[in-house]
Amino acid sequence: MPTVQSTRLPATGFVLLASLGLFWGLNWPGMKIVLSEMTVWWFRAFSVAAGCIGLLALAKLANGTLWLRRREVGPLLLVAVFAIVGWHLFTGYGVSQMPAGRASIIAFTMPVWASLLAVPILGEAMTRAKIIGLILGISGLAVLIGPDLVVLQSAPLGAAYMLGAAVTWAIGTVLFKRFRWDSPITAIMGWQLAVGFAVLLPGAIILEPFPDIAALSTDAWLSIAYLFAVPMVYCQWAYLKVVSLFPAAIAAIGTLSVPIVGVYSSALILGEQVGWPELSAMALICAALTVVLVLPALAARKSATAIPGIERPAVKKGRRLPIGGSVSGMNRAQS
């Protein structure tokens, strides 16, 4: 039998994946710092404006065009309501009312809810992996916020906001997968953020006074500069690059590091406590994401490459086989 050479994953992808775990994780304590000095609606309006400008500029440089197809406008408006407006408002209120590390853990239950919503909306099957993932995810939430519910502290309200953020992100994810998109993904994400700005700016003007920019602390300004340039622009581009280089399963594994970095960076920067509830919840939710996302994808790849009587051809020296895995709805909705 001919020798089959293994496909080497590009080192650039691993560097980008590591940077995503670090930079998206640091996003959470940064948000907490800014939201202690700025109201939610104005902060989120400024955030999506920065992301919109950055991503549309990248789309223009990469593809030369920013225009969407006419049939994509309606679906984009619908997806943006959930994936942008819902996500940014719920996370803004959630982070302002609970520890940032805990907020990041709840936010990344999103894939569990997306896998469940895909059953009625996309017609996907309810599998044993999804049921197990749901049980693990709910167990993680119970460990994290159960004691606060018993004593009726303020954290359950923040947890409810974060759960709303995870669910609206999941709805946006599933709706994104439901529609067909032909325009460049960077441009689509940029226009989604533009829709979010069109909603958030009037709400900020009506509901909240304009922030006193001169009164912001140095820590707040540094956090704003970081949040606008890195998570809102760089991380969006880097994740799209990762999913173009790696199979979807490996890209999904990369997201598991975000709440871990979020918890420990919040402890280091903000002095938040990390105890057994945070560690247990993080383990349960990471297990849920692994069961829902990673194991089925790995099993599918294994079965696809283990068909009897079919051999993968050897790769000539100096050439690579293309690495499988398309950009999933979760990846596209990360904005």
Side-chain angles (χ1 to χ4, degrees):
M1 295 181 62
T3 302
V4 179
Q5 299 181 15
S6 61
T7 303
R8 295 183 59 186
L9 298 176
T12 302
F14 287 107
V15 174
L16 292 174
L17 201 55
S19 71
L20 283 171
L22 176 62
F23 294 147
W24 258 336
L26 290 171
N27 171 66
W28 296 93
M31 285 174 54
K32 187 73 173 180
I33 292 172
V34 177
L35 287 169
S36 66
E37 302 185 29
M38 185 182 294
T39 56
V40 171
W41 283 80
W42 280 109
F43 168 60
R44 281 322 204 176
F46 293 149
S47 297
V48 297
C52 170
I53 294 170
L55 287 171
L56 290 180
L58 289 176
K60 181 65 175 179
L61 291 174
N63 302 290
T65 180
L66 300 178
W67 300 114
L68 304 176
R69 298 181 182 272
R70 181 176 298 179
R71 62 171 178 78
E72 295 175 331
V73 174
L76 183 138
L77 293 173
L78 179 61
V79 171
V81 168
F82 294 98
I84 305 301
V85 178
W87 165 260
H88 282 82
L89 285 179
F90 277 128
T91 53
Y93 282 112
V95 171
S96 66
Q97 298 190 35
M98 71 180 301
R102 287 189 166 206
S104 69
I105 296 174
I106 298 175
F108 275 81
T109 61
M110 182 281 292
V112 177
W113 314 120
S115 68
L116 296 176
L117 290 169
V119 175
I121 297 177
L122 301 179
E124 296 183 1
M126 173 59 75
T127 63
R128 182 169 55 183
K130 292 180 181 180
I131 296 173
I132 295 173
L134 175 62
I135 294 172
L136 290 171
I138 293 176
S139 299
L141 292 175
V143 169
L144 196 64
I145 65 176
D148 292 325
L149 288 173
V150 172
V151 297
L152 297 178
Q153 294 181 359
S154 59
L157 183 57
Y161 282 129
M162 292 310 304
L163 187 57
V167 171
T168 53
W169 185 11
I171 295 172
T173 294
V174 177
L175 289 175
F176 194 99
K177 291 186 68 174
R178 184 177 177 84
F179 300 110
R180 175 186 160 202
W181 308 91
D182 294 324
S183 301
I185 297 301
T186 308
I188 292 172
M189 293 174 64
W191 286 116
Q192 283 188 33
L193 291 169
V195 172
F197 179 72
V199 174
L200 293 171
L201 180 61
I205 294 173
I206 295 171
L207 298 174
E208 299 172 349
F210 190 80
D212 185 359
I213 303 297
L216 294 178
S217 67
T218 301
D219 289 344
W221 277 115
L222 292 175
S223 297
I224 288 171
Y226 171 79
L227 293 170
F228 289 4
V230 183
M232 292 300 300
V233 179
Y234 167 78
C235 288
Q236 304 295 338
W237 169 84
Y239 201 87
L240 292 175
K241 187 68 174 177
V242 165
V243 298
S244 70
L245 295 173
F246 284 167
I250 295 179
I253 292 172
T255 66
L256 303 182
S257 63
V258 176
I260 297 173
V261 175
V263 167
Y264 285 101
S265 62
S266 296
L268 181 64
I269 297 172
L270 304 176
E272 295 179 358
Q273 293 184 350
V274 179
W276 71 266
E278 288 79 12
L279 297 177
S280 301
M282 195 158 45
L284 286 167
I285 290 172
C286 285
L289 299 182
T290 302
V291 169
V292 171
L293 294 176
V294 180
L295 296 183
L298 293 177
R301 284 180 60 83
K302 183 177 180 180
S303 62
T305 57
I307 302 175
I310 298 180
E311 300 172 0
R312 293 180 66 186
V315 183
K316 294 182 180 180
K317 188 175 182 180
R319 299 184 62 188
R320 291 179 184 165
L321 286 174
I323 299 174
S326 62
V327 181
S328 68
M330 180 190 74
N331 304 336
R332 295 166 177 167
Q334 282 278 357
S335 61

